[in-house]
Amino acid sequence: MVAALTRLFGPRYLELAEDVVQETLLKALKDWPFRGVPDQPAAWLHRVARNLAIDHLRRHARGLELLKENAALLRSEWTLSLTVNSTLDEATINDDQLRMMFACCHPTLPAEQQVALALKTLCGFGVPEIARAFLTNEETINKRLYRAREAFRKLGRLDLPAHNDLPARLGQVLSTIYLLFNEGYKAARHRDLVREDLIEEALRLCRLLLDNPSTALPNVHALMALMVYHAARSDARVDTHGEIILLQDQDRSLWDRELIALANHHLDQASLSDRSTSYPLEAAIAASHANAPTYADTDWTGIIRLYDELFRRNPSPIVALNRAIAFAERDGADRGLQALTLITGLEEHHLFHAVRGELMIRTGDHAGAHLALEQALLFTDSPAERHLLEQKLARLTKG
Amino acid sequence: MSKYMFLFRGGVNNQEASPEQMQASMMKWKVWMETLTAKGKMLGGEPLEGGGRVLSGKDKKVTDGPFAESKEVVGGYLIVEAGDLNEAAELSTGCPIFEVGGSVEVRPLMSMSM
C-alpha cells in the first residue's frame, strides 16, 4: 500500500504515504473493536486509504510538488478520485511493489539502508521489529531510514530500470532479498516470529520478481531455488531445545519434500553457465544435499566439482573451506585436513577451527582437536554455536 | 504557447444517468484528460454542479438558478495550453461530451497588458 501511495504522491512524499497507511490502520483499530471486523478487511483498508489520500490531495494538492504525469489530474475534481482509484487499484499494486523494490535497492543506498527501507516500505515492518530483526536499537534503524529517505527523495520518480541496466540493478535486488533471507535463516532457531517473517518476506519478494515477465530471469529462479532448499530443511536444523543439528545428523524425513520439489523446479529454470552471480552454483550444491537420500549417499564428487567452479568465480576462503569438507567426506579426514592447510584468511573464523577440530577427531588427533575447538570458541559469540563446540570438547575430554 | 478555456455545455443529465453510465462517462473524461496531461496541455479545471444562485441587476437580485435549458448550462471548464486557437479547438475534439449532444466553447484567455 505504501508502494502504491508513493507512486501516487511521488517518491518525494514517501513519508506522506506512510502517514496515510498509518492513519488507515489507526482508523481500523478504532473502528473494528466496536463494529466488528468487516467482511473484507483488505478491501476496507484499501477504501479508507483511498479516501484519506483523496481528502489530503483535495486540501493540499496545490502545495505539493506532484509528479508531472499526474499533477494536473490530481488537482482537478474532474479526475482526482478516478486517478487515485486507478493508481491504487489492486492490479497495479504488485507492479508498484516491484518498482519500489528496485527503488529501495538503488545503488546509491548502502546495503543496510536498502534492507531497512525494504522492510519498512515493502514488508510493512515497524521500526522496533526491524531493530529486533537486526539485533540493533531503534535509534540506529531510525537513522538508517532517515538517510535512506533523504536519498530516496532525490530519485525523482519510480521506474523499473531500463533494459540495459536491469541485470546490474536486479543483482542488487537479489542480494538484498538474500540478505533478508539469511538474517531470518541464521537465527531461525530462536523461534522468533520476526525472524520467520524475514524468511517469508524474502520468499514473497522473490516470487514477485518471478511473477513479472521482465524480471523472471534465470538468476531469480536460482536464488528462489537456493532459498527454498534451505527453507525445506529448516525444521530439521534444530532440535526441540533449539540446538543446531548438523547436516549429517539431521532427520531427513523432516525435510519438506514438497518444498524440495518446488526448489528443483526453480533450479531447472536457472542457468548454471550464468556467471553473473553465484546463486545457480550454490543452489545446485544445495540441490545435491536436498536430493540425497542419506548423508553417505551424497554425490560428493559432484559437489566438489561445483565448489571448484564456484571457487574459480569467487575465490573466497569460505568456499575453499566447504570444498575441503566435501573432500574429507569423499576421500577421508586426512585429505580434508590437507585441503584446509591451503586456506588463508580464516584464522579468526570459528568455522575454520571447528571443522579442523572435527576432522582431527576423526583422524584420532585428540590433542590437536582440543586446541582447534578451543580456538573456535574464541571466535564466536553465538550461544548455539558455542554450545555445539563445548559439547564436542566435553566428549573429547571424557573419551 | 497561450492559454485557452474550454467551456462545457449540455450533455448527459446526471440525475437521469445510472451509476454505471456515470462511471463509464467519467472514465471517458478521465482518459481524455490523461491524454491532454500526457501531451503537457492540461493546466487545470473543475466540473460544476447543476444548480446555484444567480445575482443580477443593480439591486443584486438573488434567484436560484441557472434554470436555462440544460443544453445551455455550463457544466464545467478546463484550461489548456496550445499554440493557437486552431490547435486548442483541435484538442477539444476528443472531448466525450460530443457523444451525448453537448458542446465545447473554446475561448482564448485574455492577456491584460496595461
Side-chain angles (χ1 to χ4, degrees):
Chain A
M1 187 48 98
V2 176
L5 286 163
T6 306
R7 183 146 172 71
L8 185 69
F9 298 134
R12 172 189 298 273
Y13 298 110
L14 176 59
E15 262 177 300
L16 173 58
E18 287 175 354
D19 287 347
V20 168
V21 171
Q22 187 67 24
E23 207 180 321
T24 304
L25 295 174
L26 281 176
K27 263 197 187 334
L29 278 179
K30 269 191 237 158
D31 203 83
W32 294 2
F34 297 102
R35 295 189 209 178
V37 176
D39 289 340
Q40 291 178 300
W44 189 95
L45 291 169
H46 197 257
R47 195 171 58 245
V48 169
R50 187 190 67 200
N51 290 339
L52 286 171
I54 292 175
D55 279 351
H56 190 90
L57 285 165
R58 200 165 266 156
R59 269 177 284 149
H60 304 294
R62 268 164 222 287
L64 299 177
E65 272 185 65
L66 295 166
L67 299 171
K68 216 177 176 172
E69 67 209 44
N70 67 12
L73 297 172
L74 294 178
R75 284 183 184 131
S76 166
E77 282 295 329
W78 283 114
T79 42
L80 169 62
S81 65
L82 282 176
T83 304
V84 171
N85 286 0
S86 64
T87 308
L88 299 191
D89 215 329
E90 212 78 57
T92 66
I93 280 186
N94 279 348
D95 215 30
D96 284 331
Q97 287 230 328
L98 209 59
R99 283 170 213 276
M100 195 71 165
M101 215 188 297
F102 276 95
C104 287
C105 303
H106 202 268
T108 51
L109 303 181
E112 53 179 35
Q113 289 179 23
Q114 293 181 7
V115 176
L117 195 61
L119 284 176
K120 184 82 173 34
T121 57
L122 290 169
C123 313
F125 279 36
V127 172
E129 291 169 300
I130 303 176
R132 202 139 43 89
F134 288 95
L135 309 175
T136 179
N137 55 41
E138 296 184 24
E139 197 189 334
T140 307
I141 295 299
N142 271 323
K143 262 189 217 150
R144 277 180 204 171
L145 284 172
Y146 175 76
R147 288 198 202 105
R149 282 198 197 100
E150 287 295 295
F152 206 81
R153 245 183 270 276
K154 299 195 184 103
L155 291 182
R157 38 177 295 166
L158 302 181
D159 272 326
L160 286 174
H163 191 69
N164 291 344
D165 295 341
L166 194 65
R169 294 287 306 279
L170 190 60
Q172 196 79 50
V173 171
L174 293 181
S175 63
T176 300
I177 291 178
Y178 197 32
L179 195 65
L180 270 184
F181 181 85
N182 275 326
E183 283 301 325
Y185 196 67
K186 242 175 18 195
R189 58 182 168 273
H190 292 164
R191 289 274 165 247
D192 185 330
L193 285 178
V194 173
R195 293 290 179 136
E196 284 177 17
D197 283 351
L198 285 179
I199 293 178
E200 297 261 310
E201 287 297 330
L203 292 172
R204 184 178 70 84
L205 293 178
C206 199
R207 213 172 297 127
L208 217 53
L209 290 172
L210 290 175
D211 284 344
N212 187 303
S214 64
T215 51
L217 299 171
N219 274 330
V220 184
H221 280 288
L223 177 61
M224 191 65 170
L226 178 59
M227 295 193 297
V228 176
Y229 283 126
H230 285 316
R233 303 201 308 244
S234 62
D235 280 348
R237 277 171 76 235
V238 286
D239 66 15
T240 44
H241 307 292
E243 304 294 349
I244 298 176
I245 304 175
L246 296 175
L247 184 61
Q248 64 254 43
D249 303 325
Q250 287 175 13
D251 175 358
R252 292 186 182 218
S253 69
L254 292 177
W255 291 2
D256 188 325
R257 292 288 141 198
E258 263 176 51
L259 285 183
I260 291 175
L262 176 67
N264 289 340
H265 163 78
H266 284 295
L267 187 59
D268 283 344
Q269 294 170 75
S271 161
L272 276 180
S273 55
D274 187 322
R275 285 159 189 275
S276 57
T277 71
S278 59
Y279 305 126
L281 285 171
E282 286 184 59
I285 293 168
S288 286
H289 288 301
N291 292 301
T294 67
Y295 189 71
D297 287 330
T298 309
D299 173 15
W300 294 110
T301 303
I303 287 181
I304 289 169
R305 207 177 318 123
L306 291 166
Y307 273 124
D308 282 343
E309 183 65 23
L310 195 56
F311 191 77
R312 257 200 296 284
R313 287 184 210 175
N314 169 28
S316 99
I318 288 285
V319 173
L321 175 67
N322 283 308
R323 189 163 147 270
I325 297 172
F327 268 122
E329 294 303 337
R330 191 187 65 175
D331 305 331
D334 281 325
R335 179 72 181 86
L337 282 169
Q338 193 195 330
L340 283 183
T341 57
L342 301 175
I343 299 175
T344 53
L346 290 182
E347 293 76 9
E348 300 198 352
H349 201 293
H350 75 277
L351 273 179
F352 176 72
H353 296 290
V355 170
R356 219 159 45 89
E358 170 63 27
L359 294 182
M360 283 170 163
I361 294 173
R362 292 196 210 167
T363 61
D365 178 3
H366 287 191
H370 206 279
L371 268 175
L373 293 176
E374 296 247 285
Q375 261 182 303
L377 269 177
L378 288 179
F379 299 117
T380 179
D381 295 325
S382 152
E385 298 278 2
R386 291 187 70 86
H387 188 81
L388 202 66
L389 291 166
E390 279 158 2
Q391 272 184 324
K392 277 192 184 167
L393 271 173
R395 274 203 300 272
L396 263 185
T397 329
K398 258 190 259 162
Chain B
M1 281 290 165
S2 319
K3 293 177 182 173
Y4 297 85
M5 179 181 271
F6 293 169
L7 284 165
F8 305 112
R9 286 202 169 81
V12 74
N13 185 341
N14 287 347
Q15 260 127 39
E16 283 166 21
S18 71
E20 290 76 23
Q21 284 171 320
M22 275 284 290
Q23 176 85 12
S25 140
M26 288 318 296
M27 280 309 288
K28 283 184 187 161
W29 281 83
K30 178 183 170 244
V31 168
W32 176 53
M33 288 181 194
E34 277 174 348
T35 324
L36 292 178
T37 305
K39 288 184 189 157
K41 302 293 183 189
M42 162 131 164
L43 296 178
E46 300 293 346
L48 300 177
E49 294 278 4
R53 294 266 159 83
V54 176
L55 288 80
S56 60
K58 271 200 180 129
D59 54 354
K60 295 160 196 142
K61 197 172 151 240
V62 180
T63 52
D64 285 345
F67 284 128
E69 285 287 305
S70 70
K71 272 207 297 215
E72 290 162 28
V73 175
V74 175
Y77 72 97
L78 271 196
I79 312 273
V80 300
E81 199 155 54
D84 55 33
L85 186 55
N86 285 335
E87 191 199 339
E90 178 61 30
L91 288 174
S92 79
T93 57
C95 181
I97 203 165
F98 299 116
E99 293 172 25
V100 286
S103 71
V104 180
E105 183 175 325
V106 183
R107 304 276 302 271
L109 266 65
M110 187 188 284
S111 309
M112 298 281 266
S113 36
M114 293 287 163

